[in-house]
Amino acid sequence: MSCPLRRIVLALALLLPVQAEAAPVTLCTLVTDAADGRVLLREGKACAVPVTPASTFKIALALMGFETGILTDAHHPVLSWHKGYPAWRASWRQDTDPRRWMTDSVVWYSQVITTRLGAERFAGLTRDFGYGNADVSGDAGADNALTRSWIGSSLRISPEGQIDFLTRLTAGRLPVSARTVALTREILEQSPQPQGWRVWGKTGAAKRPIADGPSADGSGADGSRGAYGWFVGWAEQSTGNTARRVIFTRLILDTRGFQPGDPPGPHARDSLFADLFSTDGLLR
């Protein structure tokens, strides 16, 4: 190509609009009234499709830990990071208590809990909770049941399953004590919202396994793996003698994968907050 022609081609390329990066796809948003199970909002094609729970499983792990005495309260036990533990974030390389474990989503602390539970008790409690497919066997031949089964591996739960689990948790219908539920509530993210609403919830994120093809989750995405982002929990409002609770879950797929400064879990949380609590939101 001659130099003048090359200059013309380059000039035309600069005039073309830049293609925006694909926005995360909302696979499911589901909001129900805890009192009667009435569906307040249902959007997306994948509300019944089970995928990895990632760090949203920390809610179940907290219940297991408090119920068995592995965890004692919001600040005990304090465990130390050791070489060889996951340190995907710099903040994980420090002493961690149950509250920090939950707010910083510290993977190695989860792994200490599951290791102390042991494979048999861990599997039994997951089944007792009726959590998703209750399969904590991990990847075939990888011996990672106690360290990775809930992160892009064998354990799967659908958005509908998240709603079911959280409904039974908040209604006191899981096989754990009221103290265990209260302690778990205490360490979850608590966020005040307009009109007196208060939120308890947990984010989660994990790479989409290759086995989750582009149509399996209803996303219509291309063959890139991307990353799932979750936000699950409940919101409560008390006005006078009236109390109300809603259960919610949002699952998104970010086809870009994990982006620095824009992880899919917090994106799911923040976008759901906007849809629920903004001026024209569902709960305003």
Side-chain angles (χ1 to χ4, degrees), residues 44-60:
K45 300 178 180 179
C47 291
V49 177
V51 302
T52 176
S55 283
T56 66
F57 188 56
K58 285 183 173 68
I59 299 176

Side-chain angles (χ1 to χ4, degrees), residues 7 106 172 213 232:
R7 285 196 295 269
V106 182
V232 308

Side-chain angles (χ1 to χ4, degrees), residues 3-56:
C3 287
L5 182 57
R6 181 180 292 121
R7 285 196 295 269
I8 293 172
V9 171
L10 290 174
L12 289 173
L14 291 173
L15 293 174
L16 293 174
V18 177
Q19 185 175 4
E21 289 186 333
V25 178
T26 298
L27 302 181
C28 177
T29 301
L30 192 54
V31 184
T32 63
D33 191 307
D36 56 12
R38 181 166 45 96
V39 175
L40 306 177
L41 177 65
R42 184 186 181 104
E43 294 178 344
K45 300 178 180 179
C47 291
V49 177
V51 302
T52 176
S55 283
T56 66

Side-chain angles (χ1 to χ4, degrees), residues 14-155:
L14 291 173
L15 293 174
L16 293 174
V18 177
Q19 185 175 4
E21 289 186 333
V25 178
T26 298
L27 302 181
C28 177
T29 301
L30 192 54
V31 184
T32 63
D33 191 307
D36 56 12
R38 181 166 45 96
V39 175
L40 306 177
L41 177 65
R42 184 186 181 104
E43 294 178 344
K45 300 178 180 179
C47 291
V49 177
V51 302
T52 176
S55 283
T56 66
F57 188 56
K58 285 183 173 68
I59 299 176
L61 285 177
L63 295 168
M64 296 179 193
F66 285 123
E67 186 69 10
T68 59
I70 293 171
L71 307 179
T72 53
D73 58 39
H75 301 293
H76 299 91
V78 176
L79 303 177
S80 298
W81 180 84
H82 296 290
K83 186 176 181 179
Y85 282 0
W88 307 336
R89 303 177 187 173
S91 62
W92 293 2
R93 297 175 180 262
Q94 60 182 300
D95 290 352
T96 299
D97 64 13
R99 188 185 297 280
R100 180 180 290 278
W101 162 55
M102 193 66 72
T103 57
D104 283 0
S105 212
V106 182
V107 167
W108 64 258
Y109 199 99
S110 300
Q111 294 170 341
V112 171
I113 293 172
T114 54
T115 299
R116 292 184 180 182
L117 284 169
E120 184 175 349
R121 186 161 56 165
F122 177 41
L125 286 168
T126 306
R127 289 193 301 270
D128 290 346
F129 288 178
Y131 190 94
N133 65 355
D135 182 356
V136 291
S137 61
D139 299 312
D143 192 26
N144 62 0
L146 294 175
T147 57
R148 297 277 304 190
S149 58
W150 63 95
I151 308 173
S153 183
S154 59
L155 184 63

